[in-house]
Amino acid sequence: VDLGLSVKWATCNVGANSPDEYGDYFAWGETQPKDYYYWSTYKWYNGSYNNLTKYCKDSDYGTVDNKTVLDLADDAAHANWGGAWRMPTLEEQRELLDNCTCTWTKVNGVNGYTVTGPNGNSIFLPAAGYRVTSGLYNAGSNGYYWSSSLSTDGSNYACILYFDSSGVYWYDSGRDGGNSVRPVLP
């Protein structure tokens, strides 16, 4: 959907068939959903959250490679949808919120935000919750959407768009947890 921004936003999450479906959940830098989300099952983990093997800019967290944005091979949107689809950067998520109107609403009984661009077009982001271990938490009340950007606060975190009924925020989330992915096109 062209919202009048620098990228076009997909109408639904990876793994969903319609805007009101939650879709799949992904750990940051992984391209497939799984049954158990924790450091012990995380792809870029080697024994603990502070022994990361990729996407690390601080030796306190593992092997330093100074990568701060996901490679396309590790991007869940690109791996699942192909073509030019990819996960948004933190800057593209910020552009979405800085230039659009966000309204908490229900679509087909599903809570979330309708995000309306400056050109009047809109997308719906369902409050799909998040996954840790084998559980699903806060579905229907909160949304957690990965960016492709590593956190500036620590290499064991990545940046997300987080929301609940009171507003939309920036947040850092542990890379091992399962969050939603909403793709973009350049």
Side-chain angles (χ1 to χ4, degrees):
V1 176
D2 181 357
L3 299 173
L5 306 174
S6 66
V7 293
K8 293 182 174 117
W9 287 79
T11 58
C12 60
N13 293 345
V14 174
N17 294 311
S18 66
D20 58 308
E21 289 182 7
Y22 292 164
D24 292 327
Y25 300 82
F26 300 89
W28 191 82
E30 295 185 359
T31 59
Q32 296 299 315
K34 55 190 180 180
D35 295 328
Y36 195 81
Y37 293 85
Y38 202 65
W39 287 110
S40 61
T41 63
Y42 183 58
K43 179 178 182 178
W44 305 114
Y45 154 97
N46 187 22
S48 70
Y49 75 89
N50 63 348
N51 198 8
L52 298 168
T53 59
K54 192 170 183 183
Y55 304 108
C56 186
K57 57 186 172 137
D58 182 341
S59 61
D60 289 343
Y61 293 101
T63 305
V64 174
D65 60 10
N66 288 315
K67 288 179 174 272
T68 59
V69 177
L70 288 174
D71 293 335
L72 283 180
D74 303 322
D75 183 306
H78 183 73
N80 286 277
W81 286 16
W85 290 107
R86 61 173 174 77
M87 291 166 57
T89 63
L90 176 61
E91 291 75 24
E92 289 162 346
Q93 285 184 337
R94 282 187 176 153
E95 178 191 38
L96 182 78
L97 294 188
D98 289 347
N99 295 287
C100 297
T101 302
C102 299
T103 307
W104 181 257
T105 189
K106 280 189 180 189
V107 171
N108 296 326
V110 176
N111 287 330
Y113 272 95
T114 296
V115 181
T116 305
N119 64 5
N121 294 335
S122 64
I123 59 172
F124 178 70
L125 298 173
Y130 68 98
R131 289 196 175 276
V132 170
T133 62
S134 57
L136 175 61
Y137 300 92
N138 296 340
S141 61
N142 302 78
Y144 303 79
Y145 285 79
W146 285 124
S147 76
S148 61
S149 303
L150 190 66
S151 170
T152 57
D153 290 335
S155 294
N156 57 335
Y157 294 99
C159 302
I160 65 168
L161 174 77
Y162 163 79
F163 60 78
D164 58 26
S165 61
S166 66
V168 185
Y169 313 96
W170 306 114
Y171 195 68
D172 289 336
S173 183
R175 290 166 46 174
D176 62 318
N179 293 330
S180 301
V181 171
R182 178 59 63 97
V184 296
L185 276 175

